[in-house]
Structure formats: structure tokens, C-alpha cells
Amino acid sequence: MKRLIPLWITAVAGIVLIISYFIPPLQSWGEDAAIWFDVLAGIAFILGGGNILKIHLKKISDRVPGWGFSVILLTAFLLTLFVGLSKIGVHPNPLYPTYAWSGYYRQNGTPFWWLYEYAFKPLTASMFAMLAFYIASAAFRAFRAKNIEAVLLLGTAFIILLGRTFAGVWLTSWIPDDSGFAGLKIENLTVYIMQVFNTAGSRAIIIGIALGIASTSLKVIMGVDRSWLGSGEA
Amino acid sequence: MYEFLKNLDRRWIFMLMLLAVAIPILFELTFPEKPTGLAQAVFDEIEALDPGDKVLMAWDFDPASEGELGPMATAFTYHCATKGLKLYYMSLWPVGPQMVDDNIANVIKTDFPDLVYGVDYVNLGYKSGNEAVIKVIITDIRGLYTTDAKGTSIRDIPMMQGIENIQQMDLIINISAGYAGTTEWVLFAVTPYPDIRLVAGVTGVQAPLLYPYIPEQLPGLLGAIKGAAEYEKLVMDAYGGDIPPERKNKYLKGKLRMGPQLIAHVLIIVLIIVANLVYFTGKRRGEVS
Amino acid sequence: MQGRTIVWTLLFVLGGLFLVLRATTGAGMAKVYVKPVPTVVGDVSWTDHELATPGEYAVATAADPNQTDIVLSFWRTFGVWVAALFTLAIFSFLYSDNTLYKIAESIVIGVSAAYWMVVGFWDVIVPNLMGKLVPNMVKAWAMPGLKEDAEYLYLIPLVLGVMLLCRLGPKSVSWWSRWPLAFFIGVFCGLRLTHYLHGNFLNQIRNAIVSLVIVDNGSFDFWDSLRSVILVGGVLCGIVYFFFSFEHKGIVGRTAKVGIWVLMITFGAGFGYTVMGRIALLAIRLEFIFDDWLWLIDPTNQRIGV
């Protein structure tokens, strides 16, 4: 019941999707399964939110070090949830003005929009902006031209870094466009590296990934790989 | 000097990076752009469309990557609106519709006030499920999209009349910040239905891995902010004449961000060279194995 | 006093002084203006607020100092300050871990988790689940334009969804979540198996089959031929490197070595592009600080005449 039925569900769902790809009359089966998948993915957001609530309520009740931050987190969480679900400040859809709940929940100027615009947006964007600093630090600490492989990597990185800005154009602007050496201009080298070497390397990688995904998927569908069920009974 | 560099506190590197990006922004440093073949291919795909043709604007990004992708989004909307195309916006990312709303407010409502929502453009909004969403709408858009983002039934939206699936789109323009994004559009839309035309604007992280799809599965690609700057130039050279000079910079944000790019790229190269000099000096002195 | 405390104190005092001076002198900073747009539909009325530029406000006020067509928005102005302080709080982690950063981090997790929940509810659960099972209720409540009939097949995702939420409960019920999880994994594997094999395996092999000798207008094109040879050879060598069933010795080893070189060039290109992306992300935050908050620059000419 706890392991066998899930294995059967996985097998049936997987096989339905595979069959529907090859047999057009059965395409609607695959579509229905995909629609249920999409709806479940929406419900998974609630699971994610519920999980955060559960973990941080426990942290607060156990008074673990740093529980004050859990209070802040839950306050932000519950406030956003409340203003978003209850559509605070949202006017009705002009097509249906008598229906108070018919408005657009992302409407500009509402508290939910305010939390997005002045909290969610700057905070997430700043978190990702930090990566610029860390990539500079990593470049200083990690890249050493120790062998031919590292030299190839660094050399390519230099050409791309220069060739994707005006610096590359300026550095080799002395090579005439119509000369036989125009291909050595940094901006042209960049294009050549991307379209030839990078395409070849990336193609080898994605062919490898495709084979890996196909074999893993088959193992899961056939019930050979059961690691996703975990080791316990529950 | 050697000892200082060998034990360099990373916060000095952070400071240098901050200055490398901040100073060009403060001085509004810009450089000329020369479009490459892939940007031209994206431009040409849109140019080949006729007024009234349908374009699916699949915008799969959020504020975290707006710095790279925002300028492309602005230029795509401007180009398509200028051409008189019908714009169908949708997103596989939860925050995507917000990006669409911002873009509609910044471009369509300010510079194309005559365009009517539901007739010339529509925001279909977000659906969860990533590639499974593409799997459904490629054959039956109404299987998932019964309303637009604002809750209006799609049966009441004039430009949705007769639209059964996204194979009916004349072009798909995807802006992608990761998963789900351009790879999924290639694999789940273009691969099984090769008649679909797809062009994309993507983050720098994704761009190299998308080259193997060019040109068979992906005719045009804008990679990172440089791709945006190149495409902006093509659009502004062709259609920017009517925009007053004081408002033109709204459509040249990619070009503006190429100033800090240049200085920061040079900084990264200098950092790597200095680090290697320190490494080889240490090796010569026998301090590094 | 510790060095770190001195640095923080200096930063706060100097930064605070600069902000006070900037906000109280000249045109000021960080102000957001809106145009109130009253809307009346039948018996219902409300006021929308469209964004206006400081330049438009300056022009309107110069024409009529008592005008109310464009007004300062307190909440949006306050929002710009909040957003700027959040940005600085996140960046403060670059110096060292601190309480301000941890507060900002807690807020971003809380707000984003709730944001996605709200999106999941209004964009998916209401139209795609409730709208299919109880369309009349949804019509009467939130989506009057909905024109769908009830489809009871949607009881299946509903039941699976409830089972998924059992994961939040005690162990005696949490195992029910394995059923929807199994469905998720099955669909995911089925979708990926077919599409990855088709698009990333078969199509990529097809894309790699190109003519190695290019003849253009009757003459041999050396550069295009070389390009094709590198493209095909690079793919083959790269694949050989990933092939671990044979020991990488002899001809296999030498081929794999060339494969590594091709992959290193690919990774170098990937590094260059990644740097490019990261810098653009930092640029937009600094543009926000310098343009929207401090009003030090005006690249889009929002404040002409201010």
C-alpha cells in the first residue's frame, strides 16, 4: 500500500505519457495527465507555504537561537498571504463592477502590489546582484593557468569577456574588415568560438544529458530506481 | 605587495567590483554597438511578420534577472507593437505576469495608447507546471487558459476567438531566465511541431547551452545584456525615429548597461592575471606546490 | 572599540548625514508622483493612480501651483526608501554577516513564499480546479465571466492535492503524499524521456551530420570545411570523453583528451557569459539606488525641469 501503489502510479503515469507521444489518438490521455500535473503543481505552492509555517512555528515554540528572525519571517509571510488572498484594495473588474472579488489581485497600487514592488522585487534582485561580487572573488581565487586545459579555459574566457564588449572591437580595430585576417578580430573570434567550439562542446553535453535523463526516467518508470520513495515505511 | 596580494581580503575585490560598475553608471558611460548575426536573425524573424500576425510573448523571468532581460522585453514589445502584431503574453514563472504588466505600462500604455487590451494585446498570465503547461497548450490552449490574467473569460476576449492552440501563433518570442524557459520551449513545442518558429532572449548563463539548437530549432538568440543592446540598436535604427530624443533612453537600457559591463569585464581579466602572477611568484619562491 | 564597530558607525553616520542633506536640499530625492484617475462603472466608483514623472509634476505645478492632477504618493515614496534600505541591507552581507542582513533575508523568504502561494491560489487553484468542479460558485464569487461547465474528472487532482497536503501532517497520514508524488514523478519522467530523446538526442545527432567538405561556386571553401570538421570532431571527441565503459587509454584516451579541450573552451565561454549576466544584475540595483532613490542620475529623463 505504502510502496507498491506509488510504484504502480508512477509506471502508469509515465507509460501513458510515453504512449500518448507516439499514438496521436491517445494524445488526449497525455494532455489530461499533464493538466492534472499542472493543477497539482499549483497546490504544491500551498504545501511549500505550509511547510515554512510549520518549520518556523516550531522554531519559535522551541525558542531555538535566532527564533526572532522566524517571527519576522512569519509576520512577512502572513501579511503578504492575507493581503493577497483577500484582495485588499483591489477594485472590481470593470466588466463586472458588482462583483467585489472579481478584480485583478496583482493590481497596481494595492498592498499586495506594494509588497511585491518594494520588498519582493528589491530583495530578490539584490540577492542575485551579490553574485557579481562573488564571481569576481572566485575569479581571483580559483583560476590558475596550471596546465593546458586551464589555459584553454582562461584564454577563451578572456576572448569572450573582451569580445562581448566594445573593448574587443577597439583592441583589434587596426585589422581592416576586408583583410584576410578579419577573422582574428576579437569580436569575430568570439562569434567563431561560440558557433563552433562552444556548439560542439554544448552539443556533446546535451546529448549526454539526454541519454542520462532517458535512462534515469526509464529506471524510475520501470520501478528499478525507487530512491525517491525514501527508505522508511512512512 | 606580493604578501598583500597573496592574502588579499576579498572585500577589496568586492569594493573594486562595486566601483567598476558604479562609476560608469554615474557617468552614463556608453559605447557603440555592432549587431551580430544572431541579433539580426531575431530582428529579421519579427520583420518577416505582417501586421495582424499573432505572436506569443512567453516571458519566463522574474525581477532577479530583470537587469539582463528587462531591456530585451522592452525592445521586443516596442518592435512588435510598431509592426502592428497581435501580442499574446503568458508566463511559466509565477512572477512573470508582473513583468508583463510592467512592460505593458511602460511601453504599450505610454507609447501605443491606441492599442486596445483584448483586441491588440492580452496577458494570459501564469500557469504552474513548467513544461507540462507547454505540453497542454501546444494542442489545446483552453485546457489550461480559461481566463486571462485578470479573470476575464477568454471567450469574451476578441483576439482569442478561433485560437485553439499555440501552433496557430506565427512566432513565439521567449524571454528566459532558466527553468522553465527556452530549452523547454525548444523541446516541448518546436521539436514535436517543427513548423513553429521560436526566437529567444536569454540570460548569459543559459546562452552557451542553447547554441546547439541554432538555427534548426532556434533561428535567433539574444544572449545576455549584449544581445539586448544589439537588438535595441537594430530596433531603434529602424523604428526609433518617431521617439523624442529625451525618451529614447527608455529603449536603450541595454546599451547603457554595456558601459559597466566593459569596465567590469576588464576588472575580472586583471584580477585573473594578477592572481596568476601571485601564484607563479609563489611557485618560484617554493611557497606553492 | 572594535574595527568592525568603527566601520559600521562611520558608515551609518556619514550615510545618514548624506541622506539628510540630499533629501532636504535642492530637488530632494526618492519622490514618486501619481495621477489620480477616478473611474465610475454603473453604481461603483474607484480611483486608479497612474504613475507620473517628477518632470510632469514640475510642469503641472509651474502652470498651477494648486493643481491636484499630479500628486505626491506617500506610500510609493515610502516604498522607494524601503526598497533602497532592503538593497543596502542585503549588500551589507558583503562586509560581514549582520542582523540587518538576517532581517532582510527573513522578509524575502516570508514574502516570496506567500507570494507564490497567492499566485498558486488565484492563477491555478481558482480557475483550473475550483472553476472546473464548482463553476457556479466561482462565477458568483470571483470570476463572473467564467463560462465553463463542471468536469468531475477534476476530482482526481483534487484528491491527489489533498493527499499531497497530508505531508504536513503527522507520520500516520504523511505517507499518503507518496501517491501524488508518484504521479508527479511518473508524468515528469514520461514527459522528459520522450522529449529529451527527441530534441536533445535525435535532433542533435541530425544537426551534427553536416558535409565536411564545403564546395562553394565550384571551389573548395577551406574555412567553412575546417569549421565543419571542428564541429563534428568536437562533438565526437566530447562524447568519447563522457563514455566511461572503456578505459581512457590509447586512441580512446587521446580522443577523450581532445574532448576535454573542447569542453574546456565551452566552459570558458560559459564563464565569460556568466560574468556578463551577473554584472547586469548588479547594474540594475545600482541604477535603482542612483536613479530612483538618490536622484543622482537621470538616464531616462524623468526629472527634466525639476
Side-chain angles (χ1 to χ4, degrees):
Chain A
M1 183 87 159
K2 290 180 182 175
R3 297 178 74 87
L4 193 63
I5 293 181
L7 286 173
W8 273 105
I9 293 174
T10 302
V12 170
I15 290 167
V16 162
L17 262 296
I18 293 169
I19 290 175
S20 70
Y21 194 68
F22 294 104
I23 307 174
L26 300 183
Q27 197 170 294
S28 63
W29 291 15
E31 251 175 48
D32 284 340
I35 290 173
W36 299 347
F37 178 95
D38 296 335
V39 173
L40 271 178
I43 295 172
F45 285 129
I46 296 180
L47 177 66
N51 221 7
I52 279 189
L53 196 64
K54 189 178 156 183
I55 290 167
H56 287 278
L57 280 176
K58 183 154 175 30
K59 275 191 177 177
I60 293 166
S61 87
D62 292 351
R63 295 285 194 274
V64 296
W67 64 272
F69 296 113
S70 293
V71 173
I72 294 170
L73 188 152
L74 286 188
T75 307
F77 176 77
L78 294 172
L79 180 70
T80 311
L81 198 62
F82 172 70
V83 297
L85 290 182
S86 54
K87 292 191 177 179
I88 301 282
V90 175
H91 64 64
N93 186 329
L95 290 175
Y96 322 105
T98 52
Y99 292 82
W101 284 78
S102 63
Y104 183 33
Y105 72 96
R106 297 184 203 248
Q107 184 192 302
N108 199 306
T110 62
F112 186 67
W113 169 86
W114 192 95
L115 282 166
Y116 160 78
E117 184 71 22
Y118 300 118
F120 182 98
K121 188 172 159 177
L123 284 168
T124 53
S126 302
M127 285 273 187
F128 275 78
M130 299 262 278
L131 296 173
F133 298 105
Y134 291 121
I135 207 163
S137 174
F140 186 76
R141 287 176 196 285
F143 290 122
R144 300 285 181 272
K146 287 179 182 174
N147 50 38
I148 189 162
E149 286 84 6
V151 171
L152 279 173
L153 191 148
L154 283 179
T156 311
F158 282 6
I159 293 171
I160 300 289
L161 284 170
L162 291 172
R164 295 292 285 171
T165 62
F166 186 69
V169 178
W170 179 76
L171 279 172
T172 45
S173 57
W174 50 273
I175 302 176
D177 279 336
D178 51 359
S179 80
F181 297 101
L184 294 175
K185 286 172 132 245
I186 291 180
E187 70 269 30
N188 295 339
L189 275 179
T190 304
V191 172
Y192 198 78
I193 286 171
M194 292 309 292
Q195 292 186 347
V196 181
F197 289 97
N198 169 71
T199 301
S202 297
R203 187 164 283 156
I205 291 171
I206 67 174
I207 288 174
I209 291 173
L211 287 174
I213 284 179
S215 62
T216 309
S217 299
L218 260 185
K219 281 201 278 186
V220 170
I221 290 170
M222 306 300 276
V224 178
D225 183 344
R226 304 174 180 196
S227 53
W228 59 274
L229 276 169
S231 53
E233 263 302 293
Chain B
M1 190 56 152
Y2 167 74
E3 286 301 323
F4 172 74
L5 289 172
K6 195 179 129 197
N7 303 309
L8 186 67
D9 188 327
R10 63 181 185 166
R11 285 175 288 198
W12 287 111
I13 299 172
F14 295 162
M15 176 68 85
L16 287 173
M17 178 52 86
L18 182 69
L19 294 175
V21 179
I23 291 171
I25 291 175
L26 282 169
F27 290 96
E28 298 184 26
L29 196 63
T30 58
F31 299 98
E33 280 303 327
K34 187 176 158 194
T36 52
L38 283 178
Q40 186 70 51
V42 171
F43 182 79
D44 292 344
E45 282 288 329
I46 298 172
E47 279 299 286
L49 300 174
D50 296 318
D53 279 354
K54 298 177 278 294
V55 181
L56 184 73
M57 311 284 261
W59 285 12
D60 305 326
F61 70 106
D62 65 5
S65 44
E66 199 183 356
E68 274 187 278
L69 304 176
M72 293 178 196
T74 306
F76 275 136
T77 297
Y78 182 80
H79 191 186
C80 293
T82 310
K83 290 273 300 173
L85 306 174
K86 301 284 180 194
L87 308 178
Y88 298 78
Y89 291 94
M90 62 160 285
S91 181
L92 300 176
W93 284 44
V95 195
Q98 199 77 53
M99 304 284 102
V100 174
D101 286 343
D102 291 350
N103 208 244
I104 287 173
N106 288 339
V107 180
I108 296 182
K109 288 195 175 157
T110 39
D111 292 333
F112 301 91
D114 296 338
L115 297 188
V116 179
Y117 184 85
V119 176
D120 301 298
Y121 64 98
V122 65
N123 182 4
L124 293 171
Y126 163 77
K127 293 294 167 198
S128 56
N130 300 326
E131 60 264 52
V133 173
I134 306 174
K135 168 80 181 166
V136 175
I137 63 176
I138 199 77
T139 49
D140 178 18
I141 199 165
R142 283 151 211 260
L144 281 175
Y145 285 102
T146 50
T147 66
D148 69 352
K150 297 179 178 179
T152 307
S153 171
I154 61 168
R155 297 183 198 193
D156 292 334
I157 297 171
M159 64 190 290
M160 288 304 291
Q161 305 304 316
I163 303 288
E164 300 297 331
N165 56 53
I166 56 168
Q167 293 174 58
Q168 291 169 264
M169 297 291 153
D170 297 291
L171 181 69
I172 298 176
I173 299 175
N174 178 227
I175 303 180
S176 164
Y179 174 75
T182 303
T183 304
E184 283 64 39
W185 282 101
V186 168
L187 295 181
F188 292 82
V190 177
T191 302
Y193 299 95
D195 289 340
I196 291 176
R197 303 293 293 175
L198 169 72
V199 293
V202 302
T203 55
V205 178
Q206 292 180 88
L209 274 172
L210 292 168
Y211 271 74
Y213 300 123
I214 300 168
E216 291 85 356
Q217 292 151 287
L218 186 63
L221 176 72
L222 305 178
I225 196 72
K226 166 77 172 157
E230 291 174 3
Y231 177 63
E232 278 174 356
K233 175 167 172 55
L234 288 165
V235 174
M236 283 298 111
D237 283 354
Y239 299 107
D242 299 336
I243 307 174
E246 70 273 12
R247 279 179 37 216
K248 221 168 192 168
N249 271 357
K250 183 167 82 175
Y251 296 106
L252 292 170
K253 286 242 170 132
K255 185 182 176 184
L256 286 170
R257 279 177 207 154
M258 282 307 291
Q261 287 286 341
L262 189 149
I263 308 296
H265 284 197
V266 172
L267 172 68
I268 295 268
I269 290 172
V270 170
L271 284 173
I272 294 174
I273 291 172
V274 169
N276 274 279
L277 286 176
V278 171
Y279 170 75
F280 285 109
T281 307
K283 210 171 174 184
R284 209 178 55 240
R285 292 183 182 184
E287 292 174 18
V288 184
S289 59
Chain C
M1 202 187 264
Q2 284 184 333
R4 184 188 290 188
T5 317
I6 295 171
V7 170
W8 280 120
T9 313
L10 269 174
L11 270 176
F12 272 107
V13 171
L14 292 176
L17 273 174
F18 172 74
L19 288 180
V20 170
L21 277 173
R22 185 83 198 138
T24 52
T25 56
M29 61 184 268
K31 292 175 200 160
V32 183
Y33 297 92
V34 289
K35 282 181 212 164
V37 183
T39 308
V40 181
V41 184
D43 298 335
V44 186
S45 65
W46 62 81
T47 303
D48 281 324
H49 292 91
E50 287 176 5
L51 209 57
T53 65
E56 287 170 331
Y57 173 77
V59 171
T61 311
D64 174 12
N66 298 319
Q67 61 86 26
T68 53
D69 292 339
I70 298 177
V71 293
L72 181 77
S73 167
F74 167 77
W75 282 108
R76 291 179 198 233
T77 303
F78 175 62
V80 170
W81 278 85
V82 170
L85 296 177
F86 276 152
T87 304
L88 296 180
I90 294 288
F91 284 170
S92 69
F93 185 77
L94 294 168
Y95 183 74
S96 67
D97 199 1
N98 62 80
T99 309
L100 277 177
Y101 172 77
K102 285 200 175 101
I103 291 172
E105 191 188 36
S106 303
I107 291 173
V108 72
I109 297 169
V111 172
S112 48
Y115 188 91
W116 288 325
M117 259 179 94
V118 171
V119 170
F121 181 75
W122 286 117
D123 281 353
V124 183
I125 294 173
V126 173
N128 295 102
L129 187 63
M130 294 170 74
K132 299 286 184 180
L133 288 170
V134 281
N136 289 333
M137 191 198 94
V138 174
K139 273 181 219 170
W141 164 53
M143 290 183 173
L146 203 69
K147 293 188 172 70
E148 308 298 315
D149 296 321
E151 291 180 46
Y152 294 109
L153 207 58
Y154 279 77
L155 283 170
I156 297 172
L158 174 69
V159 171
L160 287 174
V162 172
M163 290 168 89
L164 187 67
L165 295 179
C166 285
R167 196 163 187 85
L168 295 170
K171 269 192 170 179
S172 56
V173 296
S174 69
W175 67 271
W176 284 106
S177 65
R178 281 183 179 176
W179 291 26
L181 199 63
F183 177 75
F184 257 132
I185 291 170
V187 171
F188 196 70
C189 289
L191 275 175
R192 293 208 145 194
L193 175 77
T194 46
H195 291 80
Y196 270 74
L197 273 184
H198 190 173
N200 273 4
F201 184 70
L202 297 175
N203 275 11
Q204 287 312 315
I205 290 172
R206 196 184 64 191
N207 292 352
I209 299 172
V210 292
S211 177
L212 296 182
V213 178
I214 312 284
V215 178
D216 190 20
N217 286 335
S219 60
F220 173 65
D221 189 328
F222 174 76
W223 290 111
D224 275 0
S225 301
L226 180 68
R227 177 195 168 104
S228 293
V229 169
I230 295 174
L231 204 53
V232 176
V235 174
L236 291 174
C237 294
I239 289 173
V240 168
Y241 171 68
F242 287 122
F243 194 61
F244 297 111
S245 300
F246 290 110
E247 204 177 339
H248 287 186
K249 280 177 18 188
I251 183 78
V252 177
R254 283 193 291 276
T255 312
K257 187 83 178 166
V258 177
I260 294 175
W261 293 345
V262 174
L263 290 174
M264 283 299 149
I265 295 175
T266 306
F267 296 147
F271 173 74
Y273 266 77
T274 303
V275 168
M276 178 161 237
R278 300 308 182 221
I279 290 160
L281 304 186
L282 176 59
I284 194 174
R285 287 326 296 157
L286 294 183
E287 279 173 21
F288 169 78
I289 296 281
F290 297 147
D291 184 6
D292 298 315
W293 187 42
L294 295 176
W295 286 17
L296 291 175
I297 55 170
D298 187 17
T300 48
N301 301 308
Q302 304 269 308
R303 294 186 286 279
I304 291 175
V306 174

